[in-house]
Amino acid sequence: MLHLVLTLLLALVLQTSLGAVIPHTTPEKSCYLSKYQLLVSHETEAVLRMRDKFMDTKPLADRNCTGNIFHREWNMMDLSVPDRVMVVKAELSLTTTVLEFHDTSDFAEMRKQPLAFLTQVQNDLQCWMDTKAPLHEPSEEVSHWLNQLQNTREMKTNSCLEASAIRHIFEVLNDLRCVAFQEQYN
């Protein structure tokens, strides 16, 4: 019995002393975007229902809005994967922000599931950037576009931002798929 107690005590002392000497690292978090190559149908259906409900209840004719705030002169396929991720992150940031606007209409309930999905995507994109390209600086064209998007956010009304982001939400999801497909080849 004494032998068992001494063995356990020795094991405890060794574990404690070696634990201070040998660093314990947590395994690297994996952030694969390939899961977004084919979006889950119930997620895309929820986004479609939300967009359609928005278009039915908040017609563009009632707003003084023009243009696509996500417009760009370049093709996503011509960008590096980290630049693509930065673009989609910015698009999703704006989209989730406008989906969080206070709304008391029937539309408020319709946006809960898409907002949760898009927020998860945004977190996955941030995780990918943190692990795969933590020091990446955007290219000149992406940097210019990000500045334009920020200026647009500041100049447009919330109503126009909401209309543009929701109207073009499937373009954003298409950009996400572009990132997901390209990520597996790099």
Side-chain angles (χ1 to χ4, degrees):
M1 180 71 173
L2 181 59
H3 182 33
L4 179 62
V5 171
L6 288 175
T7 304
L8 290 174
L9 186 57
L10 180 61
L12 181 64
V13 169
L14 284 174
Q15 181 183 10
T16 305
S17 62
L18 288 177
V21 175
I22 300 171
H24 295 277
T25 58
T26 57
E28 184 178 316
K29 187 175 183 180
S30 62
C31 305
Y32 295 104
L33 303 177
S34 57
K35 63 185 167 190
Y36 298 115
Q37 289 176 355
L38 299 172
L39 298 174
V40 180
S41 64
H42 71 273
E43 299 295 356
T44 54
E45 287 170 10
V47 171
L48 180 62
R49 283 191 310 273
M50 177 201 64
R51 188 193 67 185
D52 291 348
K53 177 77 170 183
F54 178 81
M55 300 301 276
D56 290 344
T57 59
K58 300 181 178 198
L60 290 177
D62 297 349
R63 303 164 192 261
N64 187 14
C65 306
T66 58
N68 176 357
I69 57 175
F70 299 129
H71 176 75
R72 52 190 179 252
E73 299 294 326
W74 34 266
N75 185 335
M76 281 282 279
M77 296 299 293
D78 296 335
L79 301 177
S80 68
V81 174
D83 271 355
R84 292 178 196 182
V85 171
M86 291 181 92
V87 168
V88 176
K89 268 184 57 192
E91 291 172 334
L92 281 173
S93 175
L94 177 60
T95 303
T96 57
T97 297
V98 302
L99 288 176
E100 291 170 342
F101 289 161
H102 179 69
D103 191 348
T104 56
S105 70
D106 294 340
F107 179 67
E109 191 62 33
M110 295 290 289
R111 65 182 173 191
K112 284 183 180 178
Q113 183 180 352
L115 179 58
F117 168 66
L118 297 173
T119 300
Q120 179 59 52
V121 172
Q122 208 174 357
N123 292 338
D124 289 344
L125 291 169
Q126 184 61 53
C127 177
W128 190 94
M129 286 301 292
D130 291 345
T131 58
K132 307 282 186 193
L135 302 176
H136 179 73
E137 292 293 324
S139 65
E140 187 176 323
E141 58 197 355
V142 170
S143 182
H144 179 72
W145 181 83
L146 291 170
N147 287 333
Q148 281 184 315
L149 184 63
Q150 184 59 39
N151 291 339
T152 299
R153 285 178 91 153
E154 294 167 3
M155 293 186 315
K156 296 267 187 186
T157 65
N158 285 352
S159 177
C160 286
L161 290 174
E162 182 181 51
S164 188
I166 293 172
R167 212 170 60 232
H168 296 284
I169 198 163
F170 280 97
E171 290 175 31
V172 174
L173 292 178
N174 201 36
D175 290 344
L176 172 63
R177 290 183 67 226
C178 176
V179 167
F181 276 112
Q182 198 59 38
E183 180 232 5
Q184 79 181 35
Y185 297 111
N186 286 342

